[in-house]
Amino acid sequence: MSDLAVSPTRTAVPPKVLRRSAAARKARYSTIKMWVGALCTGVVVVPVALARVLPLPDPVHGVLRETSLPPLSPGHLLGTDPNGRDLLSRILHGGQTSLLIGLLAILLSGLIGIVAGAAAGYFGGWVDTVISRLLEAQMSLPLLLMLLLVVALFGPSILVITLVIAVAQWPEPARLTRALVLVEREKPYVAAARVLGLGRLRIIARHIIPNILSQTLVVVLLLLAQAVLLESALSFLGAGVQRPYPTWGGIISDGRELFVTGAWWLVTIPGVAIALLVLGVNLLGDGLRDRVRRAKAVTS
């Protein structure tokens, strides 16, 4: 019997071979994406979060004798704008407005999308038909034009912009939630919950949604980059939070005419902040999505 036994050390795959496997390469790649994404996001988010406690000049009122100073000027690390306002202070305080709108928008759109998608996927029938038609109608509209129209009708306040962006973004988490719920509702644990007499709303809230929440939240996180871009686009076009309060899109809009005359920092530096945040959020979300998929594949 001992001759037929196979030694585990002989049959085990060597660690060197495991490190070269496709699964290991994907795991390392997703880890790198998460670290790079977290670094890019942190470089922008941490200073923005600390803007009110840092010793920064007033972002709204400037000094006229210090107009259009270039970066690395005394007392102004990133220079000033044509009104003598410190650009670093305006970028950090403007980032608070942009991120606040983006975070509130994705929280609201995620809530609407998860509830609507779960209802459509679980109940089916006319509920699924109505929600699916709403999704199709929403996605067929030109996004930016719709946002501009609504903001023009109701005014460019933070509340209106947040609601408009949330309504514009809810189809993506709703579509994913619907697809995941269609799969989950056929699993044995849902049938067991029905046999035990649990109500449909209780099954959705306590059993189905917790099982799909990790996958859905990754998509909601990815919407943050889109929400910040939409808010910046609205501010750039003059339909965002009104001046003199700074936003990233508004800062770029104020400096676009002076860009060709040599004041490149007024457009380039806030543009780099937006690009870093969008890149970081996308990389972080992609890495988390890969992790969640692997975890689901292992448990299923």
Side-chain angles (χ1 to χ4, degrees):
M1 185 69 179
S2 60
D3 295 336
L4 298 177
V6 180
S7 173
T9 57
R10 293 181 181 178
T11 58
V13 180
K16 187 176 181 180
V17 176
L18 286 175
R19 287 194 296 269
R20 294 178 178 176
S21 65
R25 287 198 301 270
K26 290 180 180 179
R28 288 195 298 270
Y29 184 52
S30 64
T31 301
I32 292 173
K33 287 195 296 185
M34 289 177 60
W35 278 105
V36 174
L39 178 62
C40 293
T41 306
V43 166
V44 178
V45 171
V46 172
V48 167
L50 299 175
R52 297 188 182 277
V53 299
L54 294 174
L56 297 171
D58 192 327
V60 176
H61 303 97
V63 180
L64 293 179
R65 66 175 179 272
E66 297 179 345
T67 59
S68 300
L69 295 178
L72 302 181
S73 297
H76 302 285
L77 181 62
L78 300 182
T80 61
D81 67 0
N83 294 315
R85 296 172 295 192
D86 185 75
L87 186 59
L88 176 61
S89 178
R90 287 182 62 78
I91 289 175
L92 295 186
H93 284 87
Q96 289 188 338
T97 304
S98 299
L99 285 176
L100 175 63
I101 292 175
L103 289 171
L104 292 177
I106 65 169
L107 288 175
L108 186 56
S109 62
L111 179 62
I112 296 172
I114 291 172
V115 171
Y122 188 83
F123 292 107
W126 67 269
V127 177
D128 188 17
T129 301
V130 171
I131 294 177
S132 297
R133 297 297 82 78
L134 287 174
L135 285 171
E136 294 171 0
Q138 174 75 43
M139 298 181 69
S140 66
L141 296 173
L143 183 57
L144 190 56
L145 290 179
M146 181 189 71
L147 297 180
L148 289 172
L149 176 62
V150 175
V151 171
L153 290 175
F154 296 99
S157 66
I158 291 180
L159 177 61
V160 171
I161 296 171
T162 301
L163 292 175
V164 168
I165 295 176
V167 171
Q169 289 186 320
W170 76 274
E172 293 188 41
R175 291 175 61 195
L176 177 63
T177 303
R178 177 183 176 275
L180 294 174
V181 171
L182 286 173
V183 175
E184 293 293 321
R185 74 177 186 180
E186 305 300 330
K187 292 186 176 180
Y189 75 90
V190 177
R194 294 196 193 102
V195 171
L196 291 174
L198 297 181
R200 291 182 292 182
L201 294 178
R202 191 174 180 184
I203 292 174
I204 295 173
R206 297 191 58 181
H207 298 283
I208 294 180
I209 289 182
N211 282 330
I212 66 172
L213 194 59
S214 59
Q215 294 170 272
T216 308
L217 288 180
V218 172
V219 174
V220 174
L221 173 63
L222 288 170
L223 291 178
L224 176 61
Q226 184 185 28
V228 171
L229 285 175
L230 287 174
E231 190 280 329
S232 299
L234 289 174
S235 297
F236 180 82
L237 296 173
V241 177
Q242 295 301 292
R243 297 169 178 80
Y245 300 103
T247 60
W248 284 340
I251 295 171
I252 295 175
S253 177
D254 292 340
R256 71 185 188 278
E257 295 181 357
L258 298 175
F259 180 79
V260 295
T261 63
W264 55 268
W265 58 92
L266 299 177
V267 173
T268 304
I269 297 178
V272 169
I274 296 173
L276 274 177
L277 179 64
V278 172
L279 177 64
V281 170
N282 283 328
L283 288 175
L284 184 59
D286 284 343
L288 289 173
R289 182 166 52 190
D290 294 341
R291 287 286 184 91
V292 170
R293 285 176 178 173
R294 286 202 306 272
K296 287 290 182 180
V298 170
T299 57
S300 60

